Amino acid sequence: MSDIAEITLEGKSYQMPVVVGTEDEKAIDISSLRSASGYITLDAGYKNTGATTSAITFLDGEKGILRYRGYPIEQLAEKSSFIEVAYLLIYGSLPTTAELQDFSDRISRHTLVNEDMRKILDGFPSAAHPMGILSALVSSLTAFYPESLKSNQSDEEMELSIVRLMAKMPTIAAWSYKNSVGHPVNYPKNNLDYCSNFMHMMFAYPTETYETNPVVVDALNKLLILHADHEQNCSTSTVRLVGSAHASLYSSVSAGISALWGPLHGGANQAVIEMLEAIKADGGDSKKFIEKAKDKNDPFRLMGFGHRVYKNFDPRAKIIKKSADEVLAALGVKDPILNIAKELEEAALNDPYFVERKLYPNVDFYSGIIYRAIGIPTNMFTVMFALGRLPGWIAQWKEMRENKEPIGRPRQVYVGETERNYIDMEKR
Ligand code: SDX
């Protein structure tokens, strides 16, 4: 295979190096194209454009493969914990027992947020969407830890920012929920593991003791692992782009939270449940909604279906679908919308429109059913996605900064008015 790509423009040929990754992915390095030829490339939505090289996550959309630092997602979901996977993504290797304990202990010691954050929280109306609160409060961490704004942070300072964010985001997330239901907030309990602590902060009431359910904690661990990273998706690319300007980790992740909120991205898990509820309220006729999704004149899309990269089953959806059956059975929960989801999936997978476009269930299609079963309210589903994706955002931001990548600044092709003179008001 040639390690040079050749392109001919206006009779002149230009040679550019070919980059080959460890999984044999190939790319043409066009960094010299504009200076040599005056041409740029154009690729709406970056569907065919690589923004970087990365050693964190590998996925193969055709084969439905997803690996974090080389470890298959299926093995990590089965055998690992979310905090161990966070360590793996951020630092590049599975931790020893001592390393994991140290990482977990350091996170536990930083779970408390400054009391002044409650004043910011209290300023939000109870109807405020928790994702908006999460993005605002994560960004406000720069006010409480101004040293995080330093462009040239030392390794120790970057490490402290990372541990603080891993530790405080669950607290902020749980507090955003409490704000939305008008309940008093719960403070973190450092003797609880990461997921148990989150469930405690979400659901403990001052009037009773809250006991975590091991089935729920296990399901939450698995869901957070499955969401932990996904290479250069929309929100991760946002975190990297904002971070490339040397904005702080907190500001970069706050921007990523906003990108994830979009219903075409992480907001889809909430939209899936709202869609299933609407189908149920409409009488449960899945086929009617399949036809709506196919109708170009109907804005309705089958939320939780389709993916920019996976043109086969999203491997995460397979694991989550199996886990949904297990968790609902273990909790004795019967959720009619699970059956609607399965009917919808069955109908879509046998419909030429979806088959031809390789539209399969993605990570968001079944995750909401588990969140519902463990008591997470619908408007918190995307917050759960953000909690899971946090170590991925951190790992990608850290990799971009350690590789001293340049500030991201795409070009464009201008298609507006050519030069023209100002027209005085009386002549318009
Ligand atoms: C996530 O990138 C990531 O890795 C994201 C993510 C992660 O972990 O970070 O995996 C998480 O965001 C998962 C995706 C969640 N979003 C949804 O479930 C929303 C519903 N899905 C779609 O909006 C859509 O499939 C996207 C946004 C996910 C992907 O869109 P693309 O790649 O831009 O594809 P497209 O919109 O060009 O669609 C191709 C065709 C079009 O039809 P034609 O123009 O060819 O006739 O497929 C159709 C689309 O209309 N299509 C759908 C559809 N998704 C695509 N038709 C009906 N229902 C759908 N869900």
Side-chain angles (χ1 to χ4, degrees), residues 37-310:
S37 70
Y39 279 67
I40 62 168
T41 56
L42 201 55
D43 183 21
Y46 309 112
K47 293 189 177 185
N48 307 283
T49 298
T52 187
T53 57
S54 177
I56 297 169
T57 292
F58 170 70
L59 63 87
D60 181 319
E62 303 310 321
K63 297 178 185 152
I65 293 173
L66 175 58
R67 299 190 201 121
Y68 295 159
R69 300 283 188 182
Y71 297 99
I73 192 71
E74 294 78 5
Q75 294 179 25
L76 293 170
E78 192 58 41
K79 299 176 178 174
S80 188
S81 69
F82 176 60
I83 285 301
E84 183 176 71
V85 166
Y87 186 100
L88 170 66
L89 287 167
I90 295 169
Y91 304 108
S93 56
L94 286 173
T96 61
T97 306
E99 287 166 335
L100 182 59
Q101 191 58 54
D102 169 62
F103 184 56
S104 184
D105 290 348
R106 281 185 292 130
I107 287 173
S108 293
R109 280 200 299 277
H110 287 279
T111 49
L112 212 50
V113 295
N114 188 301
E115 273 299 296
D116 283 349
M117 197 170 265
R118 289 187 58 177
K119 293 174 188 153
I120 305 170
L121 182 64
D122 291 344
F124 282 95
S126 56
H129 194 291
M131 282 294 276
I133 297 175
L134 187 67
S135 176
L137 293 189
V138 165
S139 181
S140 79
L141 288 170
T142 54
F144 298 104
Y145 306 104
E147 67 279 12
S148 65
L149 294 169
K150 277 169 62 179
S151 176
N152 56 346
Q153 275 190 317
S154 67
D155 292 348
E156 293 71 29
E157 286 169 324
M158 187 187 284
E159 176 63 19
L160 184 52
S161 294
I162 288 171
V163 167
R164 276 176 171 152
L165 189 52
M166 280 297 299
K168 296 180 195 302
M169 200 148 113
T171 307
I172 293 170
W175 284 17
S176 69
Y177 165 63
K178 286 301 196 187
N179 179 71
S180 71
V181 291
H183 290 179
V185 298
N186 289 312
Y187 285 87
K189 283 191 167 183
N190 293 348
N191 62 320
L192 297 176
D193 63 73
Y194 199 86
C195 289
S196 302
N197 194 19
F198 175 72
M199 294 304 281
H200 154 76
M201 291 190 285
M202 282 285 288
F203 297 117
Y205 294 98
T207 50
E208 59 191 44
T209 52
Y210 175 79
E211 292 294 326
T212 50
N213 179 330
V215 172
V216 167
V217 172
D218 179 59
L220 187 54
N221 252 302
K222 193 170 283 189
L223 281 167
L224 294 180
I225 288 170
L226 292 170
H227 285 80
D229 193 50
H230 213 240
E231 53 128 288
Q232 304 310 313
N233 59 83
C234 177
S235 54
T236 300
S237 300
T238 302
V239 170
R240 286 183 84 116
L241 188 61
V242 172
S244 73
H246 284 201
S248 77
L249 174 63
Y250 303 143
S251 316
S252 305
V253 167
S254 173
I257 292 166
S258 297
L260 186 73
W261 195 0
L264 294 188
H265 189 14
N269 57 15
Q270 175 174 341
V272 166
I273 294 299
E274 288 163 352
M275 172 187 73
L276 295 173
E277 289 282 20
I279 294 173
K280 180 171 158 249
D282 184 75
D285 179 0
S286 309
K287 291 199 175 6
K288 173 180 167 185
F289 284 82
I290 292 279
E291 292 312 310
K292 278 173 62 68
K294 292 157 61 176
D295 179 355
K296 289 300 167 205
N297 300 317
D298 190 326
F300 176 79
R301 279 203 159 181
L302 208 52
M303 301 312 279
F305 255 76
H307 198 276
R308 172 60 55 80
V309 178
Y310 288 124

Side-chain angles (χ1 to χ4, degrees), residues 227 260 266 269 363-364 371 381-390:
H227 285 80
L260 186 73
N269 57 15
V363 67
D364 293 311
Y371 288 138
F381 285 5
T382 312
V383 169
M384 300 308 295
F385 195 145
L387 279 183
R389 186 52 51 88
L390 179 61

